[in-house]
Amino acid sequence: MTARRVVIVDDERMARDRMRRLVKSMPDLEVAAVCEDAETLLEVLGRETVDLVLLDIQLPGLTGIELLPRLPPPRPAVIYVTAHREHALAAFDVGAADYVLKPVAPERLRQAIDRVRPSPPAPLALPTARGVELVAPDTVTHASFDGHLVSIH
């Protein structure tokens, strides 16, 4: 299994260091970057493929709530990690996958990360001479066109 790439965003050095240790202790995760503000995260996302962002709410410049809708596609899943309970509704309104309160318990972080596991792609519904057949996308190697019909292999 490929490790999911995680970016940690927090303006407090101690919080960044703790999150880095927690993420590194999880073998299915890889720390892709650690950022202290929104601008740095946007730069990282412009050049890196990232699966998950662990995002604080209170940041210099844009807040975590203001930042999430501005993330470029393909937008990674975002778990807010914050000491501020009062922003939970706003976080989910902008698309948060979860909301974890500081101090972060390792088992709570693991639970939040497990909730954002990538789901398998939906089967393809392909019309055939025998009706519609459902095919798993990862089993398709190629398609060929003979001028009239498309054959899926």
Side-chain angles (χ1 to χ4, degrees), residues 17 33 53 64 107 114 131:
D17 292 346
V53 175
E107 56 279 354
D114 286 346

Side-chain angles (χ1 to χ4, degrees), residues 1-115:
M1 178 169 86
T2 304
R4 287 187 291 164
R5 296 174 48 79
V6 178
V7 175
I8 298 163
V9 185
D10 200 304
D11 62 327
E12 297 176 15
R13 186 182 57 78
M14 287 179 55
R16 288 191 308 270
D17 292 346
R18 173 157 167 68
M19 289 304 300
R20 184 191 327 242
R21 283 192 306 276
L22 286 171
V23 170
K24 283 186 172 186
S25 74
M26 299 178 192
D28 59 330
L29 302 178
E30 171 189 335
V31 177
V34 178
C35 308
E36 60 186 58
D37 58 36
E39 183 178 315
T40 306
L41 172 62
L42 291 171
E43 290 172 10
V44 167
L45 294 178
R47 67 176 188 267
E48 301 274 342
T49 300
V50 174
D51 303 302
L52 175 63
V53 175
L54 301 174
L55 181 60
D56 190 19
I57 297 279
Q58 300 296 328
L59 297 170
L62 293 175
T63 68
I65 301 293
E66 296 166 330
L67 176 60
L68 193 152
R70 297 178 187 195
L71 297 182
R75 189 165 86 182
V78 173
I79 297 173
Y80 284 101
V81 181
T82 183
H84 303 279
R85 293 183 186 275
E86 65 272 15
H87 301 292
L89 289 177
F92 286 110
D93 282 346
V94 295
D98 209 329
Y99 198 87
V100 177
L101 291 173
K102 294 177 184 176
V104 176
E107 56 279 354
R108 175 62 182 99
L109 181 61
R110 179 81 257 175
Q111 179 185 42
I113 290 169
D114 286 346
R115 285 187 181 151

Side-chain angles (χ1 to χ4, degrees), residues 127 144-152:
S144 58
F145 180 64
D146 71 2
H148 301 290
L149 295 174
V150 175
S151 297
I152 304 295

